[in-house]
Amino acid sequence: MIKARKSAGLIREELVVAMETSQSAVARMESGRTLPSGSTLKRFARATGTRLRITFEPVRPRDRTSVRSRSAERGNGSAGRRQAGLKEKA
């Protein structure tokens, strides 16, 4: 976010005015201490003259397996729910 702001030639105070938000809110976003909402990201994109693009891209098969196995290890899968005595979701 800092890179986009600086590329737009804005100092933080100018971004605050353009986004109609507080300086502390911008500081939290830029530092990564908070996750901005979709509407906040849209305002940021508009203020910096950038395009907001959120995509969902396919995961490589190898990565899917590792996600499933990590979920099972934590007991988040159906087997983990059965072991914990929890009912399956319908």
Side-chain angles (χ1 to χ4, degrees):
M1 294 188 90
I2 295 170
K3 183 178 178 182
R5 173 175 57 79
K6 288 183 176 182
S7 292
L10 298 173
I11 60 172
R12 187 177 285 169
E13 291 79 13
E14 292 169 324
L15 181 62
V16 165
V17 171
M19 288 183 64
E20 298 179 356
T21 191
S22 67
Q23 187 166 351
S24 61
V26 171
R28 285 191 305 272
M29 284 188 303
E30 289 186 343
S31 70
R33 289 180 300 190
T34 188
L35 293 174
S37 67
S39 62
T40 299
L41 290 172
K42 285 179 190 178
R43 289 193 339 258
F44 179 85
R46 194 175 308 119
T48 58
T50 57
R51 178 177 61 160
L52 174 62
R53 184 172 63 171
I54 300 172
T55 64
F56 293 93
E57 299 175 356
V59 178
R60 296 186 313 261
R62 178 182 62 140
D63 292 342
R64 281 190 213 152
T65 303
S66 65
V67 169
R68 277 192 210 118
S69 64
R70 284 187 301 226
S71 178
E73 288 170 7
R74 291 191 306 260
N76 294 338
S78 59
R81 285 191 297 274
R82 281 193 300 272
Q83 288 175 354
L86 301 175
K87 293 183 180 180
E88 292 287 321
K89 293 182 181 176

